[in-house]
Every structure is written in C-alpha cells, then in structure tokens.
Amino acid sequence: MSGKVGFVETPLPIAELMVSLIEAPKDVRVLDSGCGRGVFIEALLKAGFKNVRGIEIDPQLYAECSGKYGDRAEILKGDFLKHRDTYDVIIGNPPYVHFNSLPPHLSEEVSRIIRSREGDIYYAFILKALELLREGGQLVYIVPYHFFYNTYARVVREALLRKGSLEVVIDLDEVRIFSKSPETVIFRFVKGRKGERMKILRIKDRKATPEEIRDLALDALKNGRSNRLFHYSEAPQFRTAGPWSSFVAGIPEFEGIPLKKLAKVGVGLVSGFDEAFRVSQEELTTFSDEERKLVKRFVKARNCDRFVVRGHALYIVMDEHIRDEGHLRERYPNIYARLLPYRERMTKRYLPAGKRWFHYQALRNYTFLLSHISEPKIYVPTLDRRPYNRFSLSYGPDLPSGDVLFIYPYRREDLLFLLGYLNTRFFREYYLGRGGRRGGRVSFTQRLLEGAEVPAFSEEVKERIAALSGEIVSRRMEGEDTTALEEEIERTVREAIEGGRRTVSLF
Ligand SMILES: C[S@@+](CC[C@H](N)C(=O)[O-])C[C@H]1O[C@@H](n2cnc3c(N)ncnc32)[C@H](O)[C@@H]1O
C-alpha cells in the first residue's frame, strides 16, 4: 500500500486559473504547499514566476517533481506543517484527509494546529499558510466547500476573518475536478488587508471541463459579470464565523419574522426500517378493519412535486401504545405476520431506550400530526438535489415520512402565501445564503427553516402571493405550465422588498 497522504492531481487548467488569481510581481516568493507531481509549479513557471518553491512530504512524489523541474524551481522534501520560511504567495491543493484517517506523524501536528481532533488536514494547511504568509501576502487554495459550514472548521473561518480578507471565492459546487470530487471552492485571501468586497463566482453547470472553468471564470472576473458558466456577484466580507455561503450576495436586507412564529415546522416520522412497514394497496385488502386503522398515508420526498403533492405511500405506524408483542400478535395477526420475517434485522436497528423491535425509531410530533391529519400542510424534502424548491401542498389526510419536513401554518390564510413565498428563487437564495447547502444539495432542516425570516409584507402583497399560489396549485393539478405565474410571484416578492414600499408587519 502506498503511504501517500491525500494525493490527488489537479488538472493543469485549474492550476492555471489559480495562478492567474495571484496579483503580485513575478519575482515574489511563491510556495506550493504539497506540490505532488508539480502541476502548480508548471503553471507558475509558465506564467513567468521566477522565485518558485514546492514542498512535498512523499519521497516518491518529491523525487518525481524535483527531477522534472531541476533548477527552474526549488523543490523541498519535508512537512509543510513544520515549515518555517515566509512567503508572499502560498498556492496549492492541500491534501484532504479527515483527522481519524491520518498517519500518526501527521495527526499530532494537525491537532496541535487546529487545536482539536475533529476536522481535516486541510484546515491545518490553511492555518499554517496564514502563519507563513507575509503581511499583504496571498493565499490561493482549492479546498472542499465543506469548511464554509462545518462546525469544526469554525477555527479556520475565524482565523481568515481575523487575519485579512477573502477577495475571490469561486464555488465549483460538485464539478468533478478530481477523480473523487467533493464540492470544492477556490479562494484568494490577502493577509492583513481589510474591508475589500468579495468577488463571488458560482458555477452553473456541473459538467463543465477544466478548460471551460479556467476560461469562463477569468472572463467573469475580468468583466465583473455573469456568463454562461458562472454567476458573478460581489458582497461585503463575511461578518461572522457562523456558516458561510457563496449565496451571500443578491438578497437585500429586509425586515422579517421567523417562520416558526407563523407555522409549526417539524420532522417526519422515522420508521428506521421502511421495507417492513410499507404496505401495498393490495395487501391492505387482507387486513382487518382494526388493522387498517394502523395504516396511514405518508407523503415522501418523491411525492413532493413543487406546489402540489402527488400520490402517497401506505405505512403501518406502530405507535407506543402497542407495547406488548403478545397483544400485537393476537389483535393484529396480519400485521404481526407481515413484520415477523424482519424481526431480527429490526432488532438490530438503533432504537431509543424503551422501544420494542416493532416500533418506529422516532415518532416526533405524532400526537400533533394525528390531530391535524386532515388539515392542509406543506411538505418539503429534507435533502434535495433539484435546482428549485419543492414546497408542496397537501390537503390530507396524510402524515410526513422521515425524508420530508412539514410546515403547518397557524393561520389558515397564511397557507397559500407561505407556499408561494417558500417556492421562490428569492427564498431559495436567502436560505442557501444562511448555510442550507450540503454537498451540492439543499438541506432543509427544522432549525434553519424555523429561523428563516419571512419578509414582513403588507397584507395586500401577501394576498397577491396567496392568490397566485392558489392558481398555480389548481393549474399544476391539471398538469398545466405555471412558469409565468411563478415569475409573477418572484416579481411581486422582489418589488415589495426592493421597492421599500412595505408597510409594517401585520402578522
Ligand atoms: C491534493 S495533493 C495535490 C498535489 C499537487 N499539488 C497537485 O495539485 O496535483 C496534496 C499533496 O500534498 C502532499 N502532502 C500531504 N501532506 C503533506 C505535508 N504535511 N507536507 C507537504 N506535503 C504534503 C501529498 O503527498 C500530495 O502530493
């Protein structure tokens, strides 16, 4: 087995793009921290940099790289995390390896630098680079986007905030740049300089080639505007070390009220073993009346079709009132027979204390949901890869499955208004700007949704949105196109907020 630590080669065009981000004379001292086979060294030399160094810990890669560049660059063999020289520019693609998978000789240094045993070696690379940069020096790295929002990467975000400014952020989402690609981000940071605005690029097409990424990212930055591959925006520096997002720009500040004041937001019911609890319509006919009472309609993520719920699945819900296995066997024989073949596997699932093998793993909000089962609710998938929001209305009777969240407005008149507003791009960008993105997907969590501010629109605007939203629901039920109506909601929302003609909240 090779002992290589996080070796993944960067495509040359990506290294070239990153080298182009350097704003410095060609004779400054530049270091590639972890130079591998030397892709960045090649790009730096090609761009005319004269004072280029690389450091590499792996003997084989070191030999390969130093053999290739001879006296045109200085290749050092060693550990960057223990390096002491200072630089005007540090550039590269640091290794990404979680602390738990690091060899002992590196994990010790990493935990010293990041002051924890949770996190990744690239956190330590960023912190070390900040230390080795001279005042005014630049750091240009490509790293997982994960550090923008991961709790354990707070130490990294704090250091970046404290020590200078992020000037360029290129969010490459999940474009496959490396053989196994996480969502990646390229950034340029300047040490000691404060207050500059960030230029933010967000990629639009995950299938872009490295050449297209290089050419079109440079084009967008040079012209200060979006093009077919990148969305361009500018934003002030991040103010806090809370989750960061490449969606910070574009949403104006507005006065709002947290969604939790308008609606109950909650997670769905988690069986922990769907295969056993799901029943077909056919099977249902073999159940007794008593047994059928335990079968409920569930709305799953795949039933959420934006604005409307289509279809449902049938699930046996085994609540905690059925405590005794003997009782289950006698009173619900068909259900018992249905679950029995799974018994061994169901016993092995994680179950909170006091639960039996035939119970659901988590039945949060169950009493509430049962008492509102026939009232309309909005459902949304908890994790969604689609490029638009799928808040979907159901008039019931149904319950949310574990892969959706439910939103139950306290006032019936807010139902269609909220449905329309939550499905706007405006809300989507606002939500993503608050850290709702996970691995190229949007993650709707109870906490983030509850805290999401709903603009304090006038009653008139709310009614307008509600009317449009109602129209969309009926038309979508008929399978008609509703793009124009959706755009109308979008415009109404933006005009109400940007026009500054809002009246005080009437919520
Ligand atoms: C993601 S690879 C990038 C390689 C090369 N720069 C490229 O972009 O193709 C990270 C490199 O860092 C090296 N590396 C890992 N830990 C290191 C350390 N502590 N000091 C120096 N190099 C290290 C790895 O051997 C690997 O070559």
Side-chain angles (χ1 to χ4, degrees):
M1 196 188 102
S2 105
K4 292 192 180 17
V5 179
F7 175 71
V8 178
E9 191 143 51
T10 311
L12 183 61
I14 299 294
E16 287 171 343
L17 161 63
M18 291 169 61
V19 167
S20 311
L21 297 182
I22 301 172
E23 282 182 0
K26 299 293 191 235
D27 58 351
V28 296
R29 270 165 75 87
V30 186
L31 177 74
D32 172 358
S33 58
C35 56
R37 296 205 176 99
V39 173
F40 283 90
I41 307 283
E42 184 178 336
L44 286 161
L45 293 173
K46 224 165 105 182
F49 284 92
K50 297 185 179 65
N51 202 341
V52 176
R53 257 187 181 182
I55 184 165
E56 175 54 57
I57 202 166
D58 181 81
Q60 225 178 321
L61 292 168
Y62 158 76
E64 208 177 307
C65 193
S66 55
K68 218 185 301 178
Y69 296 101
D71 53 7
R72 292 188 294 144
E74 187 184 1
I75 309 299
L76 310 173
K77 185 165 136 198
D79 183 351
F80 170 66
L81 298 177
K82 293 191 178 138
H83 194 57
R84 286 168 186 267
D85 294 347
T86 58
Y87 296 90
D88 300 295
V89 175
I90 297 178
I91 191 166
N93 177 6
Y96 322 148
V97 182
H98 189 268
F99 183 85
N100 296 338
S101 311
L102 284 171
H105 67 281
L106 281 174
S107 61
E108 199 182 308
E109 203 56 28
V110 167
S111 66
R112 193 185 62 76
I113 296 175
I114 68 175
R115 294 194 305 277
S116 109
R117 304 176 81 81
E118 297 289 343
D120 198 294
I121 187 172
Y122 78 86
Y123 299 180
F125 265 64
I126 297 176
L127 294 178
K128 181 69 185 181
L130 294 186
E131 181 194 316
L132 297 184
L133 276 185
R134 294 175 178 160
E135 277 306 293
Q138 299 167 40
L139 174 63
V140 183
Y141 261 0
I142 179 166
V143 287
Y145 182 84
H146 199 228
F147 92 91
F148 262 45
Y149 56 78
N150 186 268
T151 314
Y152 297 109
R154 198 182 170 87
V155 54
V156 179
R157 297 191 296 268
E158 270 167 2
L160 289 166
L161 278 181
R162 206 173 50 242
K163 296 201 168 170
S165 305
L166 276 175
E167 294 197 336
V168 176
V169 171
I170 306 178
D171 173 0
L172 295 174
D173 203 317
E174 283 186 320
V175 174
R176 285 183 74 83
I177 296 180
F178 314 116
S179 48
K180 49 175 176 56
S181 245
E183 33 169 9
T184 44
V185 62
I186 293 171
F187 68 81
R188 180 178 80 218
F189 167 88
V190 180
K191 185 168 175 178
R193 202 147 82 199
K194 284 279 175 198
E196 302 276 330
R197 281 172 79 76
M198 293 185 281
K199 292 177 177 166
I200 303 177
L201 297 186
R202 265 195 345 253
I203 200 152
K204 298 179 191 167
D205 175 5
R206 294 183 189 150
K207 296 205 180 75
T209 65
E211 286 78 9
E212 286 172 313
I213 293 174
R214 175 194 59 204
D215 297 346
L216 289 158
L218 289 174
D219 169 84
L221 287 173
K222 189 167 133 238
N223 298 316
R225 59 161 191 257
S226 306
N227 55 33
R228 74 174 164 84
L229 191 56
F230 286 97
H231 175 275
Y232 176 91
S233 59
E234 288 182 18
Q237 292 291 309
F238 294 117
R239 280 196 291 266
T240 71
W244 290 352
S245 163
S246 66
F247 287 82
V248 271
I251 295 294
E253 301 236 327
F254 57 82
E255 215 183 294
I257 180 162
L259 182 60
K260 69 165 178 252
K261 295 233 166 112
L262 305 175
K264 183 170 173 67
V265 180
V267 295
L269 311 174
V270 183
S271 79
F273 209 104
D274 277 11
E275 197 186 337
F277 294 105
R278 192 170 42 225
V279 290
S280 66
Q281 199 75 46
E282 232 173 26
E283 239 178 321
L284 193 62
T285 58
T286 66
F287 286 7
S288 68
D289 286 350
E290 197 66 11
E291 286 173 323
R292 264 184 235 169
K293 285 189 194 145
L294 295 191
V295 177
K296 311 277 187 230
R297 283 184 180 192
F298 270 36
V299 172
K300 297 188 65 71
R302 75 174 132 76
N303 303 121
C304 294
D305 193 22
R306 186 172 158 78
F307 282 97
V308 294
V309 162
R310 290 191 206 274
H312 56 257
L314 294 174
Y315 277 75
I316 302 165
V317 187
M318 203 52 84
D319 74 19
E320 276 118 271
H321 292 110
I322 303 165
R323 295 228 46 82
D324 184 74
E325 192 169 335
H327 174 71
L328 173 66
R329 189 173 44 230
E330 277 148 39
R331 189 140 171 229
Y332 306 99
N334 294 306
I335 288 185
Y336 184 68
R338 173 78 168 74
L339 297 181
L340 206 54
Y342 301 101
R343 182 184 177 143
E344 206 184 315
R345 284 190 283 154
M346 287 168 82
T347 311
K348 287 197 190 126
R349 54 198 166 135
Y350 162 75
L351 278 177
K355 295 215 182 211
R356 306 293 315 274
W357 67 269
F358 45 84
H359 283 149
Y360 264 43
Q361 208 167 47
L363 275 178
R364 284 189 216 108
N365 309 306
Y366 192 50
T367 320
F368 174 87
L369 286 165
L370 274 188
S371 57
H372 297 82
I373 192 162
S374 295
E375 290 172 53
K377 279 177 260 6
I378 299 170
Y379 296 113
V380 68
T382 52
L383 210 52
D384 206 351
R385 206 168 258 293
R386 312 264 176 105
Y388 48 81
N389 286 358
R390 283 196 286 157
F391 288 87
S392 309
L393 176 67
S394 168
Y395 287 98
D398 48 34
L399 295 168
S401 133
D403 59 358
V404 300
L405 290 178
F406 73 89
I407 295 156
Y408 174 79
Y410 294 124
R411 298 189 342 166
R412 178 71 183 258
E413 54 270 43
D414 282 342
L415 183 73
L416 288 168
F417 154 63
L418 283 176
L419 180 72
Y421 174 68
L422 295 172
N423 276 321
T424 56
R425 287 193 302 280
F426 181 91
F427 174 71
R428 184 175 171 87
E429 284 179 22
Y430 162 85
Y431 186 83
L432 289 168
R434 289 170 58 104
R437 186 172 119 190
R438 294 289 175 273
R441 288 170 289 188
V442 182
S443 152
F444 288 104
T445 67
Q446 182 177 346
R447 189 180 59 82
L448 277 180
L449 264 186
E450 281 182 335
E453 300 266 330
V454 178
F457 295 116
S458 66
E459 283 300 318
E460 193 190 331
V461 168
K462 287 201 294 177
E463 279 165 20
R464 170 109 190 99
I465 296 172
L468 287 162
S469 173
E471 183 68 26
I472 293 172
V473 172
S474 357
R475 294 218 192 162
R476 282 185 69 80
M477 295 283 215
E478 302 298 317
E480 289 172 29
D481 180 66
T482 53
T483 320
L485 292 166
E486 291 176 41
E487 284 309 314
E488 187 63 35
I489 297 188
E490 204 72 51
R491 236 185 344 265
T492 308
V493 166
R494 289 196 191 254
E495 270 168 21
I497 286 168
E498 284 157 14
R501 291 171 58 86
R502 281 170 294 126
T503 51
V504 181
S505 167
L506 293 168
F507 284 123

